[in-house]
């Protein structure tokens, strides 16, 4: 395995930063629930008796948020002690079962350092980030992993204002760790202490008053935000709609910069209106630039918690479906949900919002969630973990053949993550299928595990990561890794991707195992042969064939060679010479060379 970088007192922004690969990480034992230690939510919301479209509801709306949603207000005693207790449990529990949402009521909090471990979300409960100010830090570092941040997954920060103690907040994360609706009144450091490896990451709808320093971060995507400056780039830094972003300069430095984001709609979020919980639904923006809450109040609508079924771990799929049939939305409180049948979202405008990395595990080979071909569904904030029996698909947006026009009110999929293996054996032929037109997938990490339990070329077999059949689909912040065949296969017309990060499967046993007819290997990102219009900005694919370093991958990207199919800012890189690319896209682009971890780049294609 690659050795750790030598700690240094000074940043090394241009140094080689390979992603590490280790065997199963030792997860700390999962401690007992903190429910008995003051983990109750804010005052419970009274259940609603509002009738559903089909008649009186049998299931109540609203209710208590459960023991793993921990709500603080400025008068709460020993907040730091509670934060430290949860961090101690979650710091190295990479594949553990603990799930926590730490929520701060509006107000000012002094002298806090909220260190975030796995499956821990921290968020403010105001309408604007500035409603909830922490004079202190929300910190992610990598001490648990000897200063290596490449496995700092599955944690989040949202809707807070921070005044960092040192002037700079540390957020050293890799995949599936969104930083949303944050106001940092200072700088933001994206590297771990010692500037070890890091492989992130995602910022959206945030204002960083000072400078963002990525340092060792291999890649990063920032959307609809404002930054006071950006320090450096390693391989692939992408910006869309970001005030203060560096100018377009790919290939050197590798900045891909779009003035605006074509279409965006921010993630739904929980907030307090007086003593009552509501869920805010931000409105759609076209050609967006800057934060959505610039005047302090976001634009959109809200729903009372009484219109949500507040699901608890242990609720069966039948109950979740009953709630949906009765016209309720779903709020998934932190924990693990075993599904013996598919959760079916059939009603336009339905919201399914997870807290604290609520995790859905399909049993017996079912699909976890299917969405009908309807307007305005919002899926956000949960993890789908494949079960041991192969599922043909894990998440489907629209049925096969979906064709309705959703341009006015698209379905959005945000901070919805997919995992196959790692926490135990898991299999799925295809993880995410998008059939509905105009769908927006805004930040996902679709991951066939390369470490943990239940990992092996056939053990956690998963041929395809993301398959897009619908037209006019937009992906912003697309992370897809390690699939046995195509990581992304895009068949729909007029698709667009802003930022893509990929690693090919590490564990291919030999060249024959990845052979794709006459082509050496399956592309990381494949645009269908019949597609006439497609566009992508800032896309990277890496190979690390550590089981058999002699494997050759012909290209990272494959697409029809026609004028309507366009790419901007492509790169491939061999990590330490473990496998090689012959080209970047189709037959274009220089091969990677030897053991040098230096990207081969294509500025424009064709």
């Amino acid at each position: 395995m690659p050795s750790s970088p030598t700690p240094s007192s000074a940043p090394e922004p241009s140094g080689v930063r390979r992603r590490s690969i280790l065997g199963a990480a030792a997860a700390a034992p999962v401690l007992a629930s903190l429910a008995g230690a003051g983990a109750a939510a804010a005052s419970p919301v009274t259940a609603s008796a509002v009738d559903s479209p089909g008649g009186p509801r049998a299931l109540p709306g609203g209710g208590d948020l459960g023991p793993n949603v921990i709500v603080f207000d400025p008068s709460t005693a020993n907040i730091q002690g509670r934060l430290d207790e949860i961090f101690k449990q979650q710091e190295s529990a990479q594949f553990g079962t603990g799930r926590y949402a730490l929520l701060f009521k509006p107000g000012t909090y002094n002298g806090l350092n909220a260190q975030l471990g796995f499956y821990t979300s921290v968020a403010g409960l105001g309408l604007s980030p500035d409603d909830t100010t922490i004079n202190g830090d929300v910190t992610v570092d990598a001490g648990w992993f000897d200063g290596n941040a490449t496995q700092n997954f599955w944690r989040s920060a949202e809707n807070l204002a921070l005044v960092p103690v040192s002037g700079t907040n540390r957020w050293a994360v890799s995949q599936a760790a969104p930083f949303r609706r944050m106001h940092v009144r200072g700088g933001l450091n994206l590297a771990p202490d010692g500037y070890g490896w890091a492989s992130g990451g995602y910022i959206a709808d945030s204002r960083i008053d000072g400078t963002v320093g990525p340092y060792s971060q291999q890649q990063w995507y920032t959307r609809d935000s404002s930054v006071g400056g950006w320090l450096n780039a390693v391989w692939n830094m992408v910006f869309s709609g970001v005030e203060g972003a560096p100018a377009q300069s790919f290939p050197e430095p590798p900045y891909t910069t779009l003035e605006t984001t074509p279409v965006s709609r921010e993630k739904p979020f929980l907030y307090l209106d007086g003593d009552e919980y509501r869920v805010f639904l931000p409105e759609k923006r076209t050609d967006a630039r800057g934060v959505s809450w610039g005047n302090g109040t976001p634009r959109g609508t809200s729903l009372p918690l009484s219109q949500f079924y507040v699901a608890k771990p242990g609720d069966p799929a039948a109950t979740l479906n009953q709630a949906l049939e009765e016209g309720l939305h779903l709020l998934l409180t932190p924990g693990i949900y075993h599904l013996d049948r598919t959760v079916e979202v059939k009603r336009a405008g339905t919201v399914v919002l997870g807290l604290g990395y609520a995790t859905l595990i399909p049993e017996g080979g079912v699909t976890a969630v299917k969405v009908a071909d309807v307007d305005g569904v919002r899926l956000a904030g949960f993890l789908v973990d494949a079960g041991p029996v192969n599922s043909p698909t894990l998440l489907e947006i629209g049925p096969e053949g979906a064709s309705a026009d959703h341009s006015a009110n698209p379905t959005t999929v945000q901070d919805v993550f997919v995992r196959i293996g790692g926490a135990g054996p898991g299999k799925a032929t295809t993880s995410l299928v998008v059939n509905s037109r105009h769908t927006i997938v805004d930040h996902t990490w679709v991951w066939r595990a390369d470490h943990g339990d239940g990992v092996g070329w056939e053990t956690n077999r998963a041929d395809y990561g993301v398959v897009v059949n619908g037209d006019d689909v937009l992906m912003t912040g697309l992370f897809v890794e390690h699939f046995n065949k195509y990581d992304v296969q895009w068949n729909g017309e007029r698709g667009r991707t802003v930022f893509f990060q990929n690693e090919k499967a590490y564990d291919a046993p030999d060249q024959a195992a990845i052979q794709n007819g006459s082509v050496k290997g399956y592309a990381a990102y494949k645009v269908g042969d019949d597609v006439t219009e497609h566009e992508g900005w800032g896309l990277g694919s890496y190979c690390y064939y550590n089981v058999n370093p002699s494997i050759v991958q012909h290209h990272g990207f494959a697409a029809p060679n026609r004028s309507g199919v366009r790419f901007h800012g492509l790169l491939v890189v061999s990590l330490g010479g473990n496998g090689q690319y012959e080209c970047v896209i189709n037959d274009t682009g220089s091969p990677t060379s030897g053991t040098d971890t230096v990207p081969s780049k294509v500025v424009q294609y064709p």
Side-chain angles (χ1 to χ4, degrees):
M1 67 186 66
S3 60
S4 297
T6 302
S8 169
S9 59
E12 300 175 46
S14 61
V16 173
R17 300 296 179 192
R18 293 182 299 171
R19 174 111 181 240
S20 71
I21 166 66
L22 284 93
V30 179
L31 305 181
S33 167
L34 298 176
S43 1
V45 179
T46 304
S48 170
V50 177
D51 287 352
S52 72
R57 286 181 183 152
L59 291 174
D64 185 85
L65 297 179
N68 286 12
V69 176
I70 300 166
V71 181
F72 303 106
D73 65 45
S75 66
T76 302
N78 194 24
I79 296 175
Q80 189 64 55
R82 297 300 314 285
L83 297 174
D84 292 346
E85 183 180 7
I86 295 165
F87 176 65
K88 182 178 179 181
Q89 175 180 323
Q90 298 300 114
E91 181 183 12
S92 58
Q94 182 171 179
F95 299 112
T97 57
R99 304 285 188 274
Y100 293 95
L102 311 177
L103 306 182
F104 287 80
K105 292 184 180 181
T108 300
Y109 301 78
N110 295 313
L112 296 182
N113 181 17
Q115 300 181 83
L116 300 189
F118 288 97
Y119 314 109
T120 305
S121 298
V122 62
L125 286 170
L127 258 183
S128 165
D130 289 321
D131 292 341
T132 311
T133 298
I134 293 178
N135 290 308
D137 297 81
V138 172
T139 301
V140 178
D141 205 348
W144 74 279
F145 204 40
D146 298 323
N148 179 339
T150 60
Q151 293 183 25
N152 280 352
F153 312 138
W154 304 306
R155 62 201 76 196
S156 66
E158 299 184 51
N159 205 29
L160 291 165
L162 304 178
V163 184
V165 170
S166 70
T168 300
N169 188 77
R170 185 184 302 279
W171 186 255
V173 299
S174 286
Q175 288 79 7
F179 197 80
R180 286 186 181 268
R181 294 179 53 78
M182 296 289 286
H183 184 188
V184 181
R185 299 176 194 162
L188 188 64
N189 181 350
L190 304 180
D193 186 29
Y195 303 98
W197 301 335
S199 181
Y202 177 90
I203 294 170
D205 202 25
S206 294
R207 177 175 290 149
I208 317 300
D209 293 345
T211 298
V212 179
Y215 300 109
S216 55
Q217 281 287 355
Q218 294 170 351
Q219 70 282 312
W220 200 276
Y221 175 52
T222 307
R223 178 182 63 71
D224 299 353
S225 294
S226 173
V227 298
W230 193 274
L231 188 61
N232 72 286
V234 177
W235 290 344
N236 189 31
M237 299 288 165
V238 181
F239 308 84
S240 68
V242 178
E243 298 167 344
Q248 169 71 32
S249 58
F250 193 94
E252 195 57 46
Y255 294 132
T256 299
T257 302
L258 288 73
E259 285 297 305
T260 62
T261 304
V263 188
S264 57
R265 188 173 68 191
E266 299 304 330
K267 178 184 172 185
F269 61 92
L270 191 69
Y271 74 103
L272 276 172
D273 181 10
D275 292 327
E276 184 176 346
Y277 283 115
R278 299 182 70 90
V279 173
F280 193 83
L281 308 178
E283 71 175 15
K284 186 188 76 169
R285 297 199 289 168
T286 56
D287 297 321
R289 183 171 173 83
V291 299
S292 69
W293 45 273
N295 62 359
T297 304
R299 297 173 64 92
T301 58
S302 72
L303 297 169
L305 196 64
S306 59
Q307 293 185 20
F308 285 78
Y309 177 70
V310 179
K312 305 294 199 309
D315 280 347
T319 300
L320 303 182
N321 282 328
Q322 180 184 349
L324 292 169
E325 290 284 348
E326 292 179 0
L328 290 166
H329 306 276
L330 294 181
L331 185 74
L332 305 172
T333 62
I336 295 175
Y337 298 74
H338 292 272
L339 306 177
D340 63 352
R341 67 188 71 179
T342 300
V343 174
E344 299 195 51
V345 180
K346 301 176 182 178
R347 179 170 44 89
T350 300
V351 179
V352 180
L353 176 61
L355 301 179
Y357 285 84
T359 301
L360 309 180
I361 303 179
E363 307 283 1
V366 303
T367 298
V369 179
K370 291 184 179 181
V371 178
D373 194 24
V374 295
D375 273 359
V377 172
R378 304 182 196 225
L379 307 182
F382 58 89
L383 172 64
V384 177
D385 206 353
V389 178
N390 185 75
S391 294
T393 59
L394 293 174
L395 176 60
E396 290 184 20
I397 310 302
E400 185 177 350
S403 60
D405 185 325
H406 303 297
S407 55
N409 190 9
T411 285
T412 46
V413 181
Q414 299 175 284
D415 300 347
V416 173
F417 308 115
V418 177
R419 178 173 67 193
I420 302 96
K427 292 187 177 184
T429 304
T430 304
S431 292
L432 168 61
V433 180
V434 180
N435 292 316
S436 286
R437 294 180 62 195
H438 303 102
T439 299
I440 300 171
V441 178
D442 175 47
H443 190 224
T444 188
W445 184 37
V446 181
W447 186 58
R448 176 182 167 265
D450 59 81
H451 63 272
D453 293 331
V455 171
W457 184 249
E458 296 294 344
T459 306
N460 62 332
R461 181 85 193 185
D463 283 351
Y464 306 103
V466 175
V467 174
V468 180
N469 297 316
D471 295 340
D472 307 291
V473 170
L474 172 65
M475 304 239 177
T476 52
L478 177 60
F479 300 74
V480 188
E481 297 189 302
H482 308 310
F483 286 84
N484 296 77
K485 293 185 177 179
Y486 291 124
D487 297 276
V488 175
Q489 183 169 350
W490 205 301
N491 302 316
E493 288 287 357
R494 296 175 299 281
R496 292 176 290 183
T497 296
V498 184
F499 181 89
F500 172 67
Q501 186 266 330
N502 166 263
E503 287 181 338
K504 294 301 300 172
Y506 291 170
D507 55 346
D510 50 40
Q511 189 73 41
I514 66 161
Q515 194 69 15
N516 180 16
S518 61
V519 179
K520 298 173 185 175
Y522 288 81
Y525 188 108
K526 163 72 172 176
V527 179
D529 295 341
D530 296 330
V531 171
T532 60
E533 294 182 56
H534 188 91
E535 195 159 11
W537 296 263
L539 285 69
S541 176
Y542 321 150
C543 74
Y544 186 69
Y545 287 114
N546 64 322
V547 171
N548 189 334
S550 69
I551 289 175
V552 175
Q553 177 83 23
H554 181 62
H555 46 217
F557 303 90
N561 185 10
R562 51 177 64 104
S563 60
V565 179
R566 304 183 300 275
F567 290 92
H568 318 272
L570 295 172
L571 66 99
V572 298
V573 61
S574 166
L575 305 184
N578 289 274
Q580 299 290 343
Y581 291 94
E582 293 178 325
C583 303
V584 179
I585 179 168
N586 295 342
D587 300 322
T588 298
S590 300
T592 53
S593 57
T595 59
D596 293 333
T597 304
V598 176
S600 177
K601 301 172 183 177
V602 168
V603 177
Q604 301 283 349
Y605 184 87

